[in-house]
Amino acid sequence: MAVINVHDKSFETYLSEDVIQKRVKEIAAAINSEYAGKRPLFICILNGSFMFASDLFKHLTVEAELCFIKLASYKGMKSSGKVVTSIGLEEDLFGKDVIIVEDIVDTGKTLHDFLPKLSHQQPRSMKIATFLHKSEATEYPVKLDYVGFDIPNKFVVGYGLDYDGLGRNLKEIYQLV
Ligand code: IMP
């Protein structure tokens, strides 16, 4: 098992690239069949979801639109506790089939605070795809429709997720030692 350092902390491999890619394909396949004949709009939440969104999108066979928006900041190793405003949502969601793409749902606060802002635009449907879910950490329940992996309540980096700005480039997911 590989151990890496990011800033002052050590992390060990938790999900390999192969395991991740296999799961991303499965999620894309589920979306392809559930959205056959539709044209979903993927709203991807920056920064963390960029890698998951990119890999997922490559495996879509349905017509689909995509945009990226920026929401909260997450400083260091615990949630800042407040969601900052959203930037970059220019699409009109009325009547659209929206799929929100997140890197990780931890306490659930980010999505819990953000979802009402989207639903008041009256999309036809709204589902959530998150690469990781720390279900043990839930404080704000949110219905998650596509979950890559349910993981223990431990800090992770890689595959888009960072520790204080670093680690996003890693192809695997690493867990704090
Ligand atoms: P929530 O609002 O508590 O659900 O937190 C969601 C956000 O916290 C995610 O979009 C991430 O940016 C960040 N986050 C939560 N857990 C981790 C982690 O283990 N590593 C890196 N970022 C995390």
Side-chain angles (χ1 to χ4, degrees), residues 80-98:
S80 64
K82 58 172 190 246
V83 174
V84 189
T85 182
S86 73
I87 306 164
L89 188 61
E90 279 140 25
E91 325 295 310
D92 181 5
L93 305 186
F94 182 79
K96 295 219 167 171
D97 293 305
V98 169

Side-chain angles (χ1 to χ4, degrees), residues 74 102-110 134 155-156 161-162:
Y74 192 91
E102 256 287 29
D103 54 353
I104 184 165
V105 176
D106 182 7
T107 64
K109 174 141 179 65
T110 307
K134 289 183 185 169
F155 195 80
V156 291
L161 289 106
D162 74 311

Side-chain angles (χ1 to χ4, degrees), residues 30-42 60-65 95-99 124-127 146:
I31 291 173
N32 286 331
S33 81
E34 283 166 46
Y35 287 82
K38 297 182 179 165
R39 186 187 290 171
L41 166 65
F42 287 74
L60 293 180
T61 52
V62 287
E63 284 188 348
E65 297 177 295
K96 295 219 167 171
D97 293 305
V98 169
I99 301 178
R124 179 161 62 183
S125 68
M126 194 161 66
K127 290 201 175 187
Y146 306 100

